[in-house]
Amino acid sequence: MPGGDTIFLIGFMGSGKTTLGHALASRMPGWRFIDLDEEIERRESLSIADIFAKYGEATFRDIEADTLRALATHSHPDTTLLIATGGGTPCREGAMEWMNDHGLTVLLEASADRLLHRLVQAQSQRPLLRGKTPRQIGEFIISEQQRRAVYYDKASIRFPSDLLETREEIEDTCLRFIKEYHDIRHAL
Ligand code: S3P
């Protein structure tokens, strides 16, 4: 497999972008994982929650778009760059087109129940879920996924990500991902 590729993991909050990205990079020599939210936090020296609180969502979206472009245009020829975007990264006009021009976009899809379960556990890091009850998070997942579908639907491939809870599930999901990735790259 020649290097120099970029894979963008996209999908709703809780779809497993970070978990799968870390797991894949630890198994695949020559794959480098970058989590866009972590990169933003490092560059700004602030948590995502603090960036929202201090500057507001619109400024966060500008920083997010700039950081994505800076990361993805510096890939090394021998490295497959695996970038976990934020759930809202694809929802800026032109973002999906830009990612599709610069690599392979993979939409991680988990069921609404699975997203709810994961997000209730990791609510505090996510400013858009602040102050919401589990029921309100469930409603938000449904309505926001519908609103975002027009962007997410532009992904090159869709990949089921319900099974990422145990070590065995992560292993199986990684193997499935790698096989699918190779099949697609060989077909192109
Ligand atoms: C957001 C998703 C978050 C983070 C921010 C906004 C969104 O990333 O970028 O809280 O709009 O869906 P994760 O998808 O990694 O949680």
Side-chain angles (χ1 to χ4, degrees), residues 55-112:
Y55 303 123
E57 181 172 351
T59 300
F60 169 75
R61 297 298 175 197
D62 290 343
I63 297 172
E64 184 179 39
D66 289 350
T67 308
L68 175 72
R69 279 164 173 70
L71 288 179
T73 41
H74 284 93
S75 89
H76 192 273
D78 303 325
T79 305
T80 293
L81 196 58
L82 185 59
I83 300 180
T85 66
T89 314
C91 308
R92 191 182 177 100
E93 285 314 319
M96 282 305 301
E97 288 74 9
W98 189 87
M99 286 191 273
N100 281 327
D101 281 348
H102 288 81
L104 180 73
T105 51
V106 181
L107 175 65
L108 301 190
E109 293 186 298
S111 66

Side-chain angles (χ1 to χ4, degrees), residues 34-164:
I34 300 176
D35 183 85
L36 183 59
D37 280 341
E38 276 174 21
E39 188 63 24
I40 293 169
E41 290 181 333
R42 206 177 55 78
R43 287 180 177 213
E44 299 295 318
S45 301
L46 284 173
S47 69
I48 299 296
D50 286 344
I51 297 172
F52 267 71
K54 197 167 170 192
Y55 303 123
E57 181 172 351
T59 300
F60 169 75
R61 297 298 175 197
D62 290 343
I63 297 172
E64 184 179 39
D66 289 350
T67 308
L68 175 72
R69 279 164 173 70
L71 288 179
T73 41
H74 284 93
S75 89
H76 192 273
D78 303 325
T79 305
T80 293
L81 196 58
L82 185 59
I83 300 180
T85 66
T89 314
C91 308
R92 191 182 177 100
E93 285 314 319
M96 282 305 301
E97 288 74 9
W98 189 87
M99 286 191 273
N100 281 327
D101 281 348
H102 288 81
L104 180 73
T105 51
V106 181
L107 175 65
L108 301 190
E109 293 186 298
S111 66
D113 280 354
R114 183 63 64 185
L115 293 178
L116 178 60
H117 180 80
R118 291 176 185 162
L119 291 178
V120 166
Q121 287 178 346
Q123 180 175 359
S124 62
Q125 309 129 30
R126 293 177 164 102
L128 296 180
L129 305 181
R130 215 167 149 225
K132 286 188 168 47
T133 63
R135 189 198 170 102
Q136 288 169 329
I137 295 176
E139 289 163 359
F140 177 79
I141 289 170
I142 304 291
S143 63
E144 193 63 7
Q145 274 198 308
Q146 271 169 13
R147 195 183 70 77
R148 292 181 175 190
V150 61
Y151 304 104
Y152 288 171
D153 284 349
K154 293 179 185 165
S156 299
I157 55 170
R158 308 169 90 93
F159 184 81
S161 61
D162 261 335
L163 301 180
L164 286 171

